[in-house]
Amino acid sequence: MAKETIAGLAKRLGISKASVSYALNGQPGVSDLTRRRVLDLAEELDWYPSSSARALSRSRAGAVGMVLAADPLLIGTEPYHMGLLTGIETALAAGDTALMLRMVGNDPVQERATYERWAGERKVDGVLVFDHLLDDPRPALLDRLGLPFVLHGAPETGVPHTFSRTTTDHAVDATTIVDHLHAAGHRRIAHVSGPHRFVHEAERVQGVRERAAHHGMEVLPHEANYALLAGQDAVTALLRAPEAPVTAVVFGNDLMAMGGLLALRELGLRCPDDVAIISWDDSLHCQLATPAVTALSRNPGMQGRVAAELLLAVLDTGAIRTESMPRSELMVRASTAPG
Amino acid sequence: MAKETIAGLAKRLGISKASVSYALNGQPGVSDLTRRRVLDLAEELDWYPSSSARALSRSRAGAVGMVLAADPLLIGTEPYHMGLLTGIETALAAGDTALMLRMVGNDPVQERATYERWAGERKVDGVLVFDHLLDDPRPALLDRLGLPFVLHGAPETGVPHTFSRTTTDHAVDATTIVDHLHAAGHRRIAHVSGPHRFVHEAERVQGVRERAAHHGMEVLPHEANYALLAGQDAVTALLRAPEAPVTAVVFGNDLMAMGGLLALRELGLRCPDDVAIISWDDSLHCQLATPAVTALSRNPGMQGRVAAELLLAVLDTGAIRTESMPRSELMVRASTAPG
DNA sequence: CGGGGCCACTGAACCGGTTCAGCAACTCCC
DNA sequence: GGGAGTTGCTGAACCGGTTCAGTGGCCCCG
């Protein structure tokens, strides 16, 4: 079946292309009768507008892009990103916008090249950007490229920003976590975080430090890279250290928490009796582990939805807005239960 | 900066649009000198072809689509799909093709509507289809829509097919699994599979049955739905049954295997001493569980890459081809280790 | 009754590429 | 020296929509 076009519909009805276009788009300039006839015929021939023709004449791609820049190995195992993706897609589908996905190994150059191409080819109308970095070059780049974007997970700081973003209050999360450990009697803890070049990690580290100080607790910070092995190594190193041992470890994600658990087992230490464990991300891993791991549930699906909806609004209105993420919830499980 | 266009380049160089186009696309019809001048200028102004204009005139979108039709809850937790996605994206990026992603809850109507729209709007050049169903309506639908596709995970059966697909030999996998259990001394096992409406599940069930018969083993089949809870319930039901208990359970995916493990724990049974467990999908869950779960590693990343490359080839040549998936590998772990 | 305003509709330009037919100049060969 | 073939280039049509500047007919009102 040859594709129907607007010209085809017009010819069949004996009217002009322009009228057909107006009718189909609900624009004024056609009588109700004509509009009905057009819509009925379009329905009957199941006509759809050619997305490329429409994109060309409207100068709008009808799609937004997302670059997943992370170790492919991590992405496959970390449920956080998948949850995010699901939420994003839900919001975009509702807004009749397509999602263009690109995965690049943890490579800033490729991420940058992708944005440049997308902007140059006008392939997407905007992008979602993740994992805000210290001195992040991407906002400036995207501004220069004229590509609208939403930065997901920017700091909560009150500084007025020149771009749209979603924020999470990591200080509040830190307080939740530290208070929980303090209440369980811990006075000396370790914090195995992700790389500090991520703004959210820097904020978490600071948040934990400050809240711990507030309680008069001691914190051993340890920077790692989110991998299972990193969590394992961190715990091994921390507990072999000559200083008085910590009684609890906070992990920056679920994978490292799992690694920590393995390390404890190898060291012959019991969790939570000898060392308690808590993860900054909840996931099935935390629920299934033995003992089940206490974790902060951040609802990635909701976060994705909010971010995507914000991007759609930005594309629509051009406004610059900031959206706060809903509060996280601590899922208390056996790994921190008073022994 | 206003976007450069081919007309702009042509004007600056004092030549025609046509020549510029030929030069940029490596087509004959321009002198080497002119070609160089065009390419240099394009480089200098960093010009990119407008994807929509190109799509319109070439009648090719430069993108392929993929509908992830599964329970969003499952998708987030099952690493299989994410691995697949990573592989697909890798292959597409190499082929300069964009990936359009749509997630629909486990809803055939929405999946169908998505294909119809994509075809009608000519938004994608082809699609990747997953989870072959018994009496799958999708091949016929896509043929009718004129949308090229690759069906991933079709049966290995020798019947000549009218479409391109990738196949997995589930009988071989079943043999691997059953032989492993037989060698460990099991004679009566259960097989907790996914829904039989999936062709691959039907084949696995048959494969397990036949291989077990070959060894004179007994198999209790149990159809479930891939969810954690389903695995849990299945094991509870199977082991409470009045008949002689099984000594091993084969699970259709890692999640159900985890559920099975939980159920065993609740029933006070030890794994592998009382009941051995084996999963048809490997993942971090299997590796982290206590005991670690023996699983068939199917390399989803590789599968995705092969499927995507096949689709690109199909789009290029229009040929109908079948690609076999590489052999799976059994990762033997504690859950089936002779007690 | 005449003029202003509105309504329904149309032709043509436009978005930014690709591609075809045509044409001038130049080479080659008998 | 003249016809055939090649090379390098151009103008214009085309892909399938959107949109602007008319145009004619009709109604309303002073």
Side-chain angles (χ1 to χ4, degrees):
Chain A
M1 50 169 187
K3 295 285 178 199
E4 265 316 318
T5 69
I6 278 207
L9 298 185
K11 184 136 52 118
R12 283 174 197 257
L13 293 171
I15 59 180
S16 71
K17 275 172 62 180
S19 297
V20 175
S21 174
Y22 291 141
L24 290 168
N25 291 300
Q27 239 137 341
V30 273
S31 65
D32 287 349
L33 174 64
T34 306
R35 189 183 302 276
R36 263 264 61 80
R37 294 208 304 139
V38 171
L39 291 175
D40 287 349
L41 184 61
E43 170 82 38
E44 185 191 327
L45 303 177
D46 62 33
W47 169 91
Y48 284 88
S50 148
S51 62
S52 47
R54 193 169 252 185
L56 181 57
S57 56
R58 286 196 182 159
S59 315
R60 215 167 190 285
V64 303
M66 169 170 168
V67 175
L68 230 42
D71 187 350
L73 215 128
L74 269 182
I75 281 193
T77 45
E78 251 203 341
Y80 179 76
H81 289 99
M82 204 68 188
L84 212 53
L85 197 55
T86 309
I88 289 167
E89 235 296 303
T90 308
L92 293 182
D96 236 16
T97 301
L99 175 64
M100 200 121 264
L101 188 70
R102 173 105 305 166
M103 287 176 167
V104 306
N106 216 334
D107 180 355
V109 176
Q110 274 197 53
E111 183 174 1
R112 179 199 166 110
T114 302
Y115 292 141
E116 281 176 347
R117 253 192 98 177
W118 277 349
E121 299 183 340
R122 277 135 293 175
K123 205 168 184 83
V124 299
D125 298 319
V127 293
L128 283 163
V129 178
F130 296 89
D131 295 330
H132 193 16
L133 303 172
L134 250 48
D135 297 321
D136 202 324
R138 296 171 298 176
L141 170 66
L142 293 168
D143 270 340
R144 190 167 61 70
L145 294 172
L147 199 55
F149 66 99
V150 164
L151 182 54
H152 173 70
E156 185 99 326
T157 50
V159 203
H161 267 258
T162 54
F163 50 82
S164 289
R165 65 220 171 101
T166 62
T167 64
T168 302
D169 193 336
H170 297 287
V172 167
D173 286 352
T175 298
T176 305
I177 288 176
V178 174
D179 285 3
H180 174 70
L181 291 178
H182 181 259
H186 300 278
R187 294 298 176 265
R188 189 172 158 80
I189 66 178
H191 179 189
V192 178
S193 70
H196 291 2
R197 68 169 190 281
F198 293 124
V199 169
H200 66 266
E201 287 296 347
E203 296 216 321
R204 289 175 180 183
V205 168
Q206 188 188 344
V208 167
R209 187 180 347 105
E210 288 179 356
R211 191 60 184 178
H214 167 89
H215 286 305
M217 297 162 66
E218 214 174 327
V219 181
L220 270 64
H222 186 110
E223 185 174 354
N225 72 356
Y226 290 135
L228 184 78
L229 211 64
Q232 209 164 350
D233 292 348
V235 165
T236 308
L238 283 165
L239 294 178
R240 283 227 181 102
E243 316 122 54
V246 299
T247 60
V249 184
V250 179
F251 291 93
N253 72 342
D254 52 342
L255 245 48
M256 292 198 294
M258 294 303 113
L261 218 46
L262 290 180
L264 289 184
R265 210 168 294 160
E266 278 168 15
L267 292 170
L269 294 171
R270 301 198 39 101
C271 174
D273 308 85
D274 298 321
V275 180
I277 270 187
I278 188 165
S279 161
W280 214 294
D281 266 338
D282 194 14
S283 76
L284 196 60
H285 287 302
C286 294
Q287 297 168 48
L288 290 180
T290 11
V293 171
T294 296
L296 204 60
S297 170
R298 303 191 295 135
N299 203 343
M302 163 83 81
Q303 293 196 16
R305 235 190 51 216
V306 172
E309 278 166 3
L310 179 53
L311 180 56
L312 290 179
V314 166
L315 293 180
D316 225 42
T317 66
I320 289 178
R321 271 175 43 198
T322 295
E323 224 28 88
S324 298
M325 282 305 164
R327 183 83 21 122
S328 313
E329 192 187 349
L330 190 69
M331 313 301 286
V332 178
R333 303 204 180 91
S335 74
T336 60
Chain B
M1 50 169 186
K3 295 286 177 197
E4 265 315 318
T5 69
I6 277 208
L9 297 186
K11 183 134 55 118
R12 283 173 197 257
L13 293 170
I15 58 179
S16 71
K17 274 171 64 179
S19 296
V20 175
S21 173
Y22 291 141
L24 291 167
N25 291 300
Q27 240 136 342
V30 274
S31 65
D32 287 349
L33 174 65
T34 307
R35 189 184 302 278
R36 263 264 61 80
R37 293 208 304 138
V38 171
L39 290 175
D40 287 349
L41 183 62
E43 170 83 38
E44 183 191 328
L45 303 177
D46 63 33
W47 169 91
Y48 284 88
S50 148
S51 62
S52 47
R54 195 168 250 187
L56 181 58
S57 56
R58 286 195 182 160
S59 314
R60 216 168 190 283
V64 303
M66 170 170 168
V67 175
L68 231 42
D71 188 349
L73 215 128
L74 268 183
I75 280 194
T77 45
E78 251 203 340
Y80 179 75
H81 289 99
M82 204 68 187
L84 213 53
L85 196 55
T86 308
I88 289 166
E89 236 296 302
T90 307
L92 293 182
D96 236 15
T97 301
L99 175 64
M100 200 123 265
L101 188 69
R102 173 103 306 165
M103 286 178 167
V104 306
N106 215 334
D107 179 356
V109 176
Q110 274 197 52
E111 183 174 1
R112 179 199 167 110
T114 301
Y115 292 141
E116 282 176 347
R117 255 192 98 175
W118 278 349
E121 300 182 341
R122 276 135 293 174
K123 203 167 185 87
V124 299
D125 298 320
V127 292
L128 284 163
V129 177
F130 297 90
D131 294 330
H132 193 16
L133 303 172
L134 250 48
D135 297 321
D136 204 322
R138 296 171 299 177
L141 170 66
L142 292 168
D143 271 340
R144 189 167 62 70
L145 293 173
L147 199 55
F149 65 98
V150 164
L151 182 54
H152 172 71
E156 185 100 324
T157 49
V159 203
H161 267 258
T162 54
F163 50 83
S164 288
R165 64 220 171 100
T166 62
T167 63
T168 303
D169 192 337
H170 297 287
V172 167
D173 286 352
T175 299
T176 305
I177 288 176
V178 173
D179 285 2
H180 174 70
L181 292 177
H182 181 259
H186 300 278
R187 293 298 177 267
R188 188 173 158 83
I189 66 178
H191 180 189
V192 179
S193 70
H196 291 3
R197 68 169 189 282
F198 293 123
V199 169
H200 66 267
E201 287 297 348
E203 297 216 322
R204 289 174 181 183
V205 169
Q206 188 188 345
V208 167
R209 187 180 348 105
E210 288 179 357
R211 190 61 182 176
H214 166 88
H215 286 305
M217 296 161 66
E218 213 174 327
V219 181
L220 270 63
H222 186 111
E223 185 175 353
N225 72 357
Y226 290 134
L228 185 79
L229 211 64
Q232 210 164 350
D233 291 348
V235 165
T236 307
L238 283 166
L239 293 177
R240 283 228 182 100
E243 315 122 53
V246 299
T247 60
V249 185
V250 179
F251 291 93
N253 74 341
D254 53 343
L255 246 48
M256 292 199 294
M258 294 304 115
L261 218 47
L262 291 179
L264 288 184
R265 210 167 294 159
E266 279 168 13
L267 292 171
L269 295 171
R270 302 198 39 102
C271 174
D273 309 85
D274 297 321
V275 179
I277 270 187
I278 188 166
S279 161
W280 214 294
D281 266 338
D282 194 13
S283 77
L284 197 59
H285 288 302
C286 295
Q287 297 168 47
L288 290 178
T290 9
V293 172
T294 296
L296 203 62
S297 172
R298 303 192 292 134
N299 203 343
M302 164 82 81
Q303 293 197 15
R305 235 190 52 216
V306 172
E309 278 166 1
L310 179 54
L311 180 56
L312 290 178
V314 166
L315 293 180
D316 226 43
T317 67
I320 290 178
R321 272 175 42 199
T322 295
E323 217 40 79
S324 299
M325 283 305 164
R327 185 80 24 118
S328 313
E329 193 186 350
L330 190 68
M331 313 301 286
V332 178
R333 303 204 179 90
S335 74
T336 60

